[in-house]
Amino acid sequence: MQKDIFTGKKIILGVTGCIAAYKSAYLIRDLIKRGAEVRVIMTPSAAEFISPLTLSTLSKNQVIINTFPAHQPGGQNLTTWHIDYAIWADIMIIAPATVNTVAKISYGFADNALTTLVLALRSPLLIAPAADVDMYENKITQENLVRLEKFGHYVVHSERGELASGLSGKGRLAENEKIIDAAEIILSGYKKDLSGKKILVTAGPTYEDIDPVRFIGNRSSGKMGYQIAKAAFLRGADVTLISGPSHEKIYEEIKLKKIRSAAEMKKAVESEIKFNEALIMSAAVADYTPANVSPKKIKKEEKLSSIKLNETEDILASIEKNGKIIAGFALETDNELKNASKKLKSKNLDLIVLNSLKDKHSGFETDSNKVTVIHSSGKKIEFALQSKFQAANRILSELLKVKK
Ligand code: CTP
């Protein structure tokens, strides 16, 4: 298994003064769990919301609040600590970033320890703003966020939700999980290289009903497709996800269409594909469906001994391709490469992602996957066992190579 990208990574976490500052405690914990080293820098107003002691205890490092600290932070040079920190970091994350800090950074102010450090920073900067809805949606804030992106910083925009004021709307700090996913994108060397692209992803199993209680399903959890959708979004794409029954969660910015059966999946793909330039069909669509669905629960006394099945339509094979980039998946147990290549040709795909159930820690219900991507040219790229999020990114990078 490839080692976690966060292992040994040096992360500066900037915390600014807003109610969401308490979430930074969890963020530190999660980053450390992934193997990172975290040093925290706070604005004085952040220290009103959460105790520096909490953050220094969790990060196991001294917290910097003042531009002129009384002690040497983390054994650094007292006078040029901001330069030492700036050189040390692999990435700096500011979460939560108030609109005040966003404004200051976007105009190059260096009026406190945190903004001073930002100006000296050599590593990428990820900014996750948080504010009340009117402050967040204020045109000046929005323009400042655009300015930050123009300067090459990565913004994880606020989400919708209930805010501390009791108002609801956009302004809530993005979930820590999304901030960490975005940091992983940056640390892995990816950029928003899918900006402006519209991508349709399918995920999960389909359930074919037998009666109101029972169905025929499969073991797909949806994890792979959800990770593809997340990675594509974080790399700038406009993503629509069509999902069969799954417990996975998706970002609110991704348009989610939930379906149940293969027939519903087909209808949804057909209606969405025209708005997209690429389709990644990672769903485990049922090949058979009961010929008749009983409207009532089938009782034991009926002594049911068989269920007549009809073949479902093959979505990938039948979909109008119209110059779109089409990627399929092939889950195989034997003759993997041969079977996957056959599917690539017969379904007229640009690439196919092969999963072998023979590979340990791959396939259903796991967080890791070992995939081989086969292009229509016949070129094969075999990837090592890695997390599904990393595999998703590899697949997306291969998709980007398809020229249409
Ligand atoms: N697929 C589809 N519609 C179906 C069945 C499968 O679009 N009714 C898609 C899957 O989403 C996947 C690809 O076809 O991207 C291959 O699916 P897979 O189950 O591996 O192959 P099948 O074509 O169903 O063949 P088999 O089950 O015999 O291996």
Side-chain angles (χ1 to χ4, degrees):
M1 174 79 178
Q2 268 187 358
K3 78 169 191 245
D4 192 322
I5 192 89
F6 284 94
T7 309
K9 286 290 180 309
K10 303 182 186 91
I11 300 179
I12 297 176
L13 177 64
V15 183
T16 69
C18 87
I19 185 61
Y22 78 90
K23 294 185 183 169
S24 56
Y26 299 99
L27 189 55
I28 296 169
R29 190 195 54 184
D30 293 347
L31 290 168
I32 287 179
K33 253 196 214 158
R34 296 279 301 263
E37 187 185 340
V38 182
R39 292 183 183 176
V40 178
I41 179 155
M42 302 171 86
T43 59
S45 54
E48 300 285 332
F49 286 92
I50 184 160
S51 152
L53 181 64
T54 306
L55 303 191
S56 65
T57 308
L58 286 169
S59 66
K60 301 182 184 75
N61 275 313
Q62 205 174 337
V63 168
I64 295 183
I65 305 171
N66 301 307
T67 313
F68 305 104
H71 311 286
Q72 282 190 340
Q76 304 293 315
N77 186 320
L78 183 59
T79 48
T80 57
W81 64 266
H82 57 301
I83 305 296
D84 297 345
Y85 262 49
I87 293 169
W88 174 82
D90 290 312
I91 186 171
M92 178 170 181
I93 300 171
I94 308 182
T98 60
V99 293
N100 184 38
T101 294
V102 165
K104 287 197 279 188
I105 296 173
S106 75
Y107 280 93
F109 281 71
D111 63 344
N112 62 30
L114 188 146
T115 50
T116 303
L117 171 57
V118 166
L119 271 189
L121 203 64
R122 288 190 181 179
S123 76
L125 174 63
L126 184 162
I127 298 164
D132 214 275
V133 56
D134 297 311
M135 294 172 80
Y136 184 73
E137 288 193 338
N138 189 302
K139 283 187 190 136
I140 303 175
T141 303
Q142 289 305 309
E143 199 180 293
N144 288 338
L145 289 170
V146 171
R147 280 176 65 79
L148 290 180
E149 285 179 326
K150 249 193 244 157
F151 286 117
H153 303 313
Y154 192 106
V155 177
V156 180
H157 291 268
S158 297
E159 297 176 355
R160 263 168 225 291
E162 233 182 81
L163 304 166
S165 61
L167 295 177
S168 65
K170 232 175 168 186
R172 207 183 58 183
L173 179 67
E175 293 290 331
N176 280 343
E177 199 193 307
K178 194 203 267 172
I179 296 171
I180 292 174
D181 286 346
E184 179 162 356
I185 289 280
I186 297 167
L187 288 169
S188 308
Y190 299 112
K191 296 199 167 53
K192 289 203 172 169
D193 50 358
L194 293 172
S195 284
K197 301 224 181 313
K198 288 174 184 269
I199 300 183
L200 180 60
V201 182
T202 69
T206 63
Y207 285 178
E208 309 302 319
D209 288 335
I210 298 169
D211 70 11
V213 182
R214 305 162 181 108
F215 60 85
I216 300 171
N218 62 64
R219 288 179 54 199
S220 169
S221 59
K223 280 177 195 278
M224 192 64 236
Y226 275 66
Q227 296 301 330
I228 292 173
K230 287 180 181 179
F233 169 77
L234 292 170
R235 285 168 69 170
D238 188 342
V239 182
T240 301
L241 175 64
I242 301 172
S243 170
S246 168
H247 296 297
E248 293 298 303
K249 293 209 168 41
I250 199 70
Y251 309 148
E252 66 175 33
E253 295 90 342
I254 292 175
K255 181 172 159 197
L256 176 65
K257 271 200 163 179
K258 282 241 172 190
I259 55 86
R260 184 170 169 85
S261 64
E264 286 173 11
M265 172 79 78
K266 181 167 187 282
K267 225 170 119 191
V269 172
E270 281 171 353
S271 78
E272 288 296 333
I273 188 133
K274 52 181 169 293
F275 305 116
N276 290 277
E277 50 215 275
L279 166 67
I280 306 175
M281 193 80 197
S282 79
V285 187
D287 290 329
Y288 296 96
T289 190
N292 300 299
V293 184
S294 167
K296 283 190 287 183
K297 184 181 176 196
I298 301 168
K299 303 296 285 177
K300 211 182 332 185
E301 301 91 75
E302 293 177 47
K303 303 285 176 213
L304 183 73
S305 61
S306 65
I307 299 170
K308 186 171 180 295
L309 300 173
N310 286 341
E311 230 178 280
T312 59
E313 268 189 86
D314 193 303
I315 304 169
L316 265 186
S318 63
I319 198 97
E320 290 272 355
K321 312 262 179 338
N322 283 336
K324 313 219 177 238
I325 298 172
I326 312 279
F329 271 66
L331 181 71
E332 306 294 341
T333 55
D334 306 283
N335 297 322
E336 293 95 329
L337 280 172
K338 199 168 149 231
N339 282 334
S341 302
K342 211 165 115 193
K343 280 180 194 167
L344 173 84
K345 283 205 181 76
S346 67
K347 301 194 190 203
N348 190 18
L349 309 176
D350 295 297
L351 62 85
I352 197 155
V353 182
L354 165 65
N355 272 176
S356 170
L357 273 188
K358 277 187 190 155
D359 290 320
K360 263 195 185 164
H361 310 294
S362 275
F364 297 123
E365 295 151 9
T366 62
D367 288 319
S368 53
N369 212 358
K370 187 172 180 312
V371 298
T372 301
V373 172
I374 311 171
H375 284 266
S376 56
S377 63
K379 190 175 173 206
K380 297 180 188 62
I381 306 116
E382 194 181 338
F383 295 105
L385 181 68
Q386 55 195 332
S387 72
K388 283 192 171 162
F389 188 64
Q390 285 287 341
N393 276 295
R394 302 288 193 162
I395 294 164
L396 289 170
S397 293
E398 290 306 314
L399 198 80
L400 267 173
K401 292 181 192 161
V402 176
K403 296 276 171 280
K404 282 254 154 159

